[in-house]
């Protein structure tokens, strides 16, 4: 037996395959499966806490009845009108933002290449706010968010002079476009009456208050459409992280993969913004946390989505239960989470002598 023959079983033990029928085999890392299972357990615990904690919380013993539609009275109202839609939207929006950030960071090969930093969220938020408040009976909010996101990304693409290929230029152009999107949103706030502007302020910071099952349907339909497409290109994106030349030589068609990834990221971010406003830092931090938890290379799209959902549900739980800050938009909490995470990264890199 040769050295190569002895090494083969070890590789097989570290990495398995998820087989579908006799023709499809998807490589799966054991560490990723374990991390994904842990994230699911934490997400389930956070969801139960969201539904049961507080003055209006559903008793834990009555929660199964509420989940199957047999609840009555207060529990029925709380689940169907207050916390059920809000929780479903939080999971969907967090997953959409986490997946969108994972796609962008993989395409740009830049940990700062997220919808927050390169202007996509700001553009989608500006488009959604402008259309919802200036043309409420003409252009639907999701369409306005999509238009704003596309315009923002088109402006970034043109401004860099190299498309999405140069990470440094991408970040600089994105910061400028994000500032322009924020300026448009603030102009809309200034131009409106005070009562309408106060509602828009909560939207601009990202809010999950008073969400409905229609909002949940919107973001989850986009997720259901985007996840299979993201799964199909995930392997190509992983190869593309080694460089376009190597990816081209291996037949992964990096240009087509990047184009599809950007389109998916725009659609996911636009769907999230249309129902919750531009919630900050989830798309930036979720993929990086997922990558560190998995301790491996690759985009880790599923883990990014799960991490995003968990972070937003936890932030919304704080928004509902911390009595010192009543009615504080959930986006304020995600800003705090993102700021603390980036601060930790800076301290960590400084201690390593990188900065």
């Amino acid at each position: 037996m040769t050295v190569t023959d002895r090494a083969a079983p070890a590789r097989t033990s570290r990495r398995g395959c998820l087989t579908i029928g006799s023709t499809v085999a998807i490589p799966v890392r054991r560490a990723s499966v374990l991390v994904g299972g842990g994230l699911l357990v934490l997400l389930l615990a956070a969801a139960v806490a969201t539904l049961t904690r507080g003055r209006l919380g559903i008793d834990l013993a009555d929660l199964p009845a509420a989940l199957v539609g047999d609840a009555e009275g207060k529990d029925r109202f709380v689940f169907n009108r207050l916390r059920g839609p809000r929780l479903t939207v939080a999971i969907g929006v967090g997953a959409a933002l986490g997946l969108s950030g994972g796609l962008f960071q993989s395409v740009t090969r830049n940990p700062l290449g997220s919808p927050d930093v390169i202007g996509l969220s700001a553009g989608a938020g500006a488009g959604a706010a402008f259309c919802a408040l200036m043309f409420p009976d003409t252009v639907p909010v999701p369409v306005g968010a999509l238009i704003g996101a596309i315009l923002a990304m088109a402006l970034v693409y043109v401004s860099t002079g190299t498309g999405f290929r140069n990470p440094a230029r991408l970040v600089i152009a994105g910061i400028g476009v994000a500032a322009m999107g924020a300026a448009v949103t603030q102009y809309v706030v200034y131009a409106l009456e005070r009562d309408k502007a106060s509602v828009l302020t909560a939207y601009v910071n990202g809010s999950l208050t008073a969400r409905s099952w229609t909002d949940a349907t919107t973001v989850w339909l986009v997720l259901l459409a985007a996840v299979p497409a993201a799964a199909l290109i995930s392997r190509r994106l992983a190869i593309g992280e080694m460089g376009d030349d190597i990816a081209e030589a291996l037949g992964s068609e990096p240009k087509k993969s990047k184009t599809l990834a950007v389109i998916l990221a725009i659609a996911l971010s636009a769907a999230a913004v249309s129902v919750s406003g531009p919630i900050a830092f989830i798309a930036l931090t979720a993929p990086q946390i997922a990558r560190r938890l998995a301790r491996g290379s690759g985009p880790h799209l599923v883990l990014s989505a799960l991490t995003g959902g968990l972070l937003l549900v936890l932030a919304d739980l704080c928004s509902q239960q911390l009595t010192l800050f009543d009615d504080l938009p959930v986006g304020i909490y995600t800003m705090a989470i993102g700021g603390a995470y980036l601060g930790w990264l800076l301290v960590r890199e400084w201690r390593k002598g990188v900065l």
Side-chain angles (χ1 to χ4, degrees):
M1 180 180 293
T2 65
V3 174
T4 303
D5 291 332
R6 293 191 186 99
R11 289 197 299 269
T12 303
S13 64
R14 288 197 301 267
R15 300 188 62 160
C17 285
L18 173 64
T19 59
I20 303 176
S22 58
T23 58
V24 178
I26 303 174
V28 177
R29 295 180 67 247
R30 181 177 300 174
S32 297
V33 174
L34 294 176
V35 171
L39 290 172
L40 279 174
V41 171
L42 292 175
L43 181 57
L44 178 60
V48 171
T50 298
L51 295 174
T52 58
R53 298 288 296 175
R55 183 172 56 87
L56 295 176
I58 302 171
D59 289 339
L60 189 60
D62 298 329
L63 186 58
L67 293 175
V68 299
D70 292 337
E72 297 180 355
K74 178 184 76 73
D75 289 351
R76 183 182 184 89
F77 176 79
V78 169
F79 183 79
N80 290 333
R81 298 292 297 275
L82 298 180
R83 298 195 179 180
R86 182 168 180 161
L87 173 63
T88 308
V89 170
I91 297 174
V93 168
L97 292 175
L99 182 55
S100 178
L103 289 167
F104 256 107
Q105 291 180 18
S106 179
V107 167
T108 60
R109 297 194 290 276
N110 185 348
L112 295 179
S114 76
D116 298 325
V117 176
I118 63 176
L120 191 150
S121 294
F130 190 84
C131 292
L133 297 168
M134 302 300 290
F135 307 102
D137 300 324
T138 305
V139 181
V141 171
V143 176
L146 182 59
I147 292 173
I150 292 175
L151 289 177
M153 288 301 94
L155 188 56
V156 169
Y157 187 92
V158 173
S159 299
T160 62
T162 57
F164 298 117
R165 293 191 297 273
N166 190 309
R169 292 186 181 182
L170 180 65
V171 172
I172 294 172
I175 292 173
V177 171
M180 293 171 61
V184 170
T185 303
Q186 293 302 321
Y187 171 77
V188 175
V189 172
Y190 180 80
L192 291 174
E193 296 85 357
R194 182 174 297 178
D195 57 341
K196 292 182 179 179
S198 62
V199 175
L200 180 59
T201 300
Y203 176 86
V204 168
N205 288 308
S207 176
L208 296 173
T209 303
R211 292 304 177 258
S212 66
W213 291 114
T214 301
D215 297 321
T217 301
T218 299
V219 68
W220 277 98
L221 283 177
V222 175
L223 265 176
L224 291 176
V227 166
L232 289 175
I233 64 171
S234 61
R235 186 65 176 172
R236 293 186 176 187
L237 292 177
I239 295 175
E241 291 186 355
M242 295 186 292
D244 289 348
D245 293 338
I246 295 177
E248 190 72 40
L250 294 175
S252 67
E253 299 177 311
K255 291 183 179 179
K256 292 183 179 179
S257 300
K258 288 183 178 181
T259 300
L260 180 56
V262 169
I263 292 173
L264 290 174
I266 290 174
L268 287 163
S269 184
V273 170
S274 69
V275 300
S276 66
I279 295 177
F281 280 113
I282 295 295
L284 177 66
T285 57
Q288 297 186 39
I289 293 174
R291 185 185 292 265
R292 283 171 170 78
L293 289 175
R295 297 179 180 274
S297 60
H300 300 294
L301 299 180
V302 174
L303 297 183
S304 297
L306 290 173
T307 304
L310 176 61
L311 289 177
L312 190 52
V313 170
L314 290 175
D316 190 47
L317 184 61
C318 293
S319 176
Q320 295 183 64
Q321 301 301 328
L322 292 183
T323 57
L324 294 177
F325 308 101
D326 289 337
D327 299 325
L328 195 65
V330 68
I332 303 297
Y333 288 94
T334 62
M335 289 180 189
I337 293 173
Y341 178 73
L342 290 179
W344 174 79
L345 282 182
L346 288 174
V347 172
R348 181 172 177 266
E349 296 302 312
W350 175 74
R351 288 180 175 177
K352 291 168 59 177
V354 176
L355 297 178

